[in-house]
């Protein structure tokens, strides 16, 4: 045994003595598995973060909770029924763990990798990728801060070098989002060493379309600050909107869902796998009161052929979809497109901003264009759309146009895929009237338990009943 140990040590010594004869490059190659690269290329990262922004961040729990809160839908089973009925302990810190992790540990981390790698890293000069990534970062940060309030930003995404980031004020996060969008517009104009092509799931790398997305988002985020700076926010929103989407055929819409089980529209997956959400009486009654053709097109029937909406706060459990209507298969199906921002939304923003500034004629023109675009997007036939728009309750004229007209129609246009924006508008304007007898919805989402466990000293002390900065003016 000792002899064997000796030769083993001798052999090891020989290897150590011989090691200097090997070049560093050879040793690096020996230690590298070519089938497991340490860094992903921009072409691999971009489709991943785009899909995640549409599916995981805009299309799942954050949207479903918002949908119940703003009464697009009613929770009729499991956690969504409990949240709808304001059950104690239903909407607490553990419900947002996965969403927070997806935002920070997955999406924003990969987005920052694209920005760094495409600007100064291994694929430097890939400005088309960098510009798109900055737009995506602004969008995802926007969802995070709109729902949670103060969030990590300047000290976030630093890995092991800073595991306990501080939380930036929402005011500063909003300024950062606008800066990212400004930088993205400039980056998209630069000559690019590489272009995304078909790895860009939205526009095949077309910089002109991405710039319109950036300007449209700038208008959205400017208008969001209506309670903080009424005139200034309107002026900035209109300046940005002028360079945003220019036709109903334009918009930022994810259209790459498939019929494969892992590639389906997330709302379709929710309906098939969980069926926790039914159409709310609040929105269905609005459709009915306004003689809105969308009530018959976007709301499905129950067995027996009737449409029955679910009352928020008092609905019976109905996972089997036999008591209450769901969104129709025309609207929610495996390959249905999922909008992140539309031309209709941009025109509603223009209408609201002009109305705030007293520009009634411009406001009414934008409002009518917004409603018409929303109807077309939501599958309403042209003749039915024309009849709908002819009603005084829908088209009151420039002198009669109110903020309630604009936000109500915008609320209807967001059904079913943009409830986060409907929730943001409700907190900002109080429109439409909600009817849950258990009380008003939360005004923010709770910080996740994982963050409280690991970074408690930096997590703001808040309650779901307190507004975010653009809502109530405080930075709690």
């Amino acid at each position: 045994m000792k002899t064997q140990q000796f030769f083993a040590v001798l052999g090891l010594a020989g290897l150590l003595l011989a090691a200097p004869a090997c070049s560093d490059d050879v040793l690096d190659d020996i230690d590298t598995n070519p089938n497991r690269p340490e860094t992903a290329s921009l072409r691999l990262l971009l489709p991943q973060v785009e899909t995640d922004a549409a599916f995981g961040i805009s299309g799942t729990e954050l949207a479903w909770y918002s949908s119940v809160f703003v009464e697009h839908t009613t929770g009729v089973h499991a956690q969504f029924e409990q949240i709808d009925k304001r059950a104690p302990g239903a909407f607490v810190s553990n419900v947002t763990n996965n969403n927070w992790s997806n935002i920070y540990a997955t999406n924003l981390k990969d987005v920052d990798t694209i920005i760094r790698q495409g600007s100064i890293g291994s694929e430097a000069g890939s400005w088309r990728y960098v510009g798109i990534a900055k737009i995506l970062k602004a969008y995802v940060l926007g969802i995070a801060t709109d729902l949670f309030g103060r969030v990590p930003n300047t000290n976030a995404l630093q890995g092991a070098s800073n595991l306990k980031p501080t939380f930036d004020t929402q005011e500063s996060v909003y300024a950062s989002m606008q800066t990212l969008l400004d930088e993205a517009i400039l980056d998209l104009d630069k000559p690019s060493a590489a272009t995304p092509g078909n790895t860009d799931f939205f526009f095949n790398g077309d910089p002109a379309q991405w710039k319109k997305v950036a300007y449209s988002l700038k208008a959205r985020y400017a208008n969001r600050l209506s309670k903080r700076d009424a005139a200034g926010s309107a002026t900035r929103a209109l300046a940005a909107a002028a360079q945003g989407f220019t036709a109903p055929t334009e918009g930022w819409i994810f259209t790459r869902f498939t019929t494969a089980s892992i590639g389906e529209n997330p709302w379709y997956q929710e309906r098939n796998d969980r069926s926790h959400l039914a159409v709310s009486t609040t929105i269905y009654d609005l459709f009915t009161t306004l003689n809105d053709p969308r009530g018959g097109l976007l709301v499905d029937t129950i067995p027996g052929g009737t449409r029955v909406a679910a009352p928020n706060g008092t609905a019976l459990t109905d996972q089997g979809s036999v008591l209450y209507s769901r969104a129709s298969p025309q609207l929610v199906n495996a390959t249905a497109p999922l909008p992140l921002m539309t031309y209709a939304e941009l025109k509603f923003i223009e209408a609201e901003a002009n109305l705030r500034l007293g520009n009634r004629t411009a406001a009414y023109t934008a409002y009518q264009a917004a409603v018409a675009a929303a109807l077309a997007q939501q599958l309403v036939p042209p003749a039915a759309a024309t009849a709908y728009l002819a009603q005084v309750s829908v088209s009151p004229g420039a002198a009669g146009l109110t903020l309630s007209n604009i936000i109500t129609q915008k609320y209807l246009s967001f059904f079913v895929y943009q409830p986060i924006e409907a929730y943001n508008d409700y907190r900002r304007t109080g429109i439409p009237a909600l009817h849950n007898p258990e009380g008003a919805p939360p005004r923010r989402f709770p910080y996740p338990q994982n963050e409280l466990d690991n970074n408690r000293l930096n997590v703001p002390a808040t309650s779901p009943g307190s507004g975010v900065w653009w809502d109530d003016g405080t930075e709690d």
Side-chain angles (χ1 to χ4, degrees):
M1 179 64 69
K2 291 183 179 178
T3 304
Q4 291 175 340
Q5 291 175 341
F6 170 78
F7 279 111
V9 173
L10 183 63
L12 178 59
L15 287 174
L16 292 173
L17 290 171
C22 296
S23 70
D24 289 340
D25 290 341
V26 171
L27 288 174
D28 288 342
D29 288 341
I30 291 172
D31 196 39
T32 301
N33 183 346
N35 296 318
R36 297 186 64 182
E38 294 182 1
T39 59
S41 68
L42 300 181
R43 290 184 62 82
L44 290 176
L45 286 169
L46 183 62
Q48 174 180 311
V49 297
E50 288 185 344
T51 301
D52 187 48
F55 184 103
I57 295 174
S58 303
T60 56
E61 279 88 353
L62 295 176
W64 300 334
Y65 290 130
S66 297
S67 181
V68 171
F69 292 150
V70 82
E71 298 179 16
H72 273 177
T73 61
T74 300
V76 292
H77 186 67
Q79 75 266 34
F80 293 101
E81 181 177 0
Q82 296 304 303
I83 285 169
D84 189 52
K85 292 177 177 176
R86 310 290 192 260
F91 195 57
V92 292
S93 55
N94 62 349
V95 303
T96 56
N97 278 333
N98 291 339
N99 306 119
W100 185 272
S101 178
N102 190 28
I103 289 170
Y104 280 98
T106 302
N107 192 278
L108 288 179
K109 179 181 177 183
D110 287 344
V111 165
D112 258 20
T113 298
I114 294 174
I115 294 170
R116 183 176 59 255
Q117 195 164 304
S119 56
I120 61 174
S122 59
E123 298 179 73
S126 299
W127 295 110
R128 194 77 51 85
Y129 282 98
V130 174
I132 294 170
K134 287 180 179 178
I135 293 170
L136 289 165
K137 183 173 183 178
Y139 174 75
V140 174
L141 267 178
I143 289 179
T145 191
D146 285 339
L147 296 182
F148 291 96
R150 290 173 56 193
V151 293
N153 184 28
T154 53
N155 293 320
L157 309 171
Q158 296 178 9
S161 63
N162 186 0
L163 296 175
K164 300 182 185 297
T166 55
F167 282 56
D168 294 39
T169 64
Q170 186 175 71
E171 183 175 12
S172 69
V173 173
Y174 255 71
S176 174
M177 288 152 51
Q178 290 285 6
T179 297
L180 281 166
L181 293 170
D182 288 337
E183 290 176 355
I185 291 164
L186 295 176
D187 290 337
L188 289 165
D189 279 335
K190 297 175 183 176
S192 188
T195 56
N198 61 10
T199 63
D200 169 17
F201 283 175
F202 289 103
F203 304 112
N204 289 313
D206 184 347
Q209 291 301 315
W210 275 109
K211 285 171 64 177
K212 289 182 180 181
V213 171
Y215 280 114
S216 298
L217 287 175
K218 283 180 66 65
R220 172 192 279 182
Y221 298 138
N223 194 57
R224 186 89 81 234
L225 306 187
S226 60
K227 292 174 76 172
R228 305 279 64 81
D229 179 10
S233 65
T235 300
R236 291 188 294 273
L238 290 172
Q243 299 183 75
F245 306 132
T246 57
T249 53
E250 294 182 340
W252 193 21
I253 301 172
F254 192 83
T255 60
R256 296 301 187 93
F257 297 118
T258 72
T259 56
S261 60
I262 60 171
E264 296 165 336
N265 178 298
W267 285 81
Y268 178 76
Q269 289 186 358
E270 193 283 331
R271 177 168 178 172
N272 283 350
D273 298 343
R274 305 183 186 184
S275 196
H276 292 175
L277 304 170
V279 175
S280 166
T281 54
T282 297
I283 193 164
Y284 189 68
D285 286 351
L286 278 173
F287 284 142
T288 303
T289 301
L290 293 168
N291 297 312
D292 194 318
R294 287 173 288 192
L297 289 169
L298 307 184
V299 179
D300 202 5
T301 58
I302 62 172
T306 59
R307 292 181 176 85
V308 180
N312 288 91
T314 60
L316 301 174
T317 300
D318 182 39
Q319 191 178 25
S321 304
V322 296
L323 299 177
Y324 305 116
S325 296
R326 269 54 175 180
S328 73
Q330 294 182 79
L331 182 63
V332 177
N333 55 72
T335 60
L338 195 155
L340 282 68
M341 187 168 185
T342 65
Y343 172 81
E345 181 189 344
L346 186 64
K347 300 308 285 187
F348 280 122
I349 290 169
E350 287 184 37
E352 182 187 342
N354 273 305
L355 186 67
R356 212 153 58 239
L357 293 174
N359 305 327
R360 286 195 159 270
T361 300
Y364 191 62
T365 299
Y367 167 77
Q368 288 190 302
V371 177
L375 294 170
Q377 179 188 326
Q378 291 173 298
L379 314 174
V380 176
T386 299
Y388 181 67
L389 283 164
Q391 300 178 109
V392 175
S393 59
V394 178
S395 300
L401 184 68
T402 66
L403 181 63
S404 182
N405 294 132
I406 295 169
I407 302 300
T408 297
Q409 287 296 327
K410 192 179 179 189
Y411 170 85
L412 298 175
S413 78
F414 284 148
F415 183 77
V416 60
Y417 290 121
Q418 290 185 273
I420 294 175
E421 281 306 303
Y423 177 57
N424 291 335
D425 278 345
Y426 171 76
R427 291 181 290 159
R428 189 172 57 84
T429 67
I431 302 169
L434 301 181
H435 303 291
N436 192 321
E438 296 301 322
R443 301 198 74 84
R444 70 195 307 153
F445 280 45
Y447 290 111
Q449 188 61 46
N450 287 345
E451 195 70 13
L452 289 168
D453 291 341
N454 298 314
N455 192 21
R456 182 175 293 273
L457 292 179
N458 287 318
V459 178
T462 65
S463 70
S466 61
V468 299
W469 168 74
W470 53 250
D471 176 8
D472 68 10
T474 63
E475 290 281 12
D476 44 14

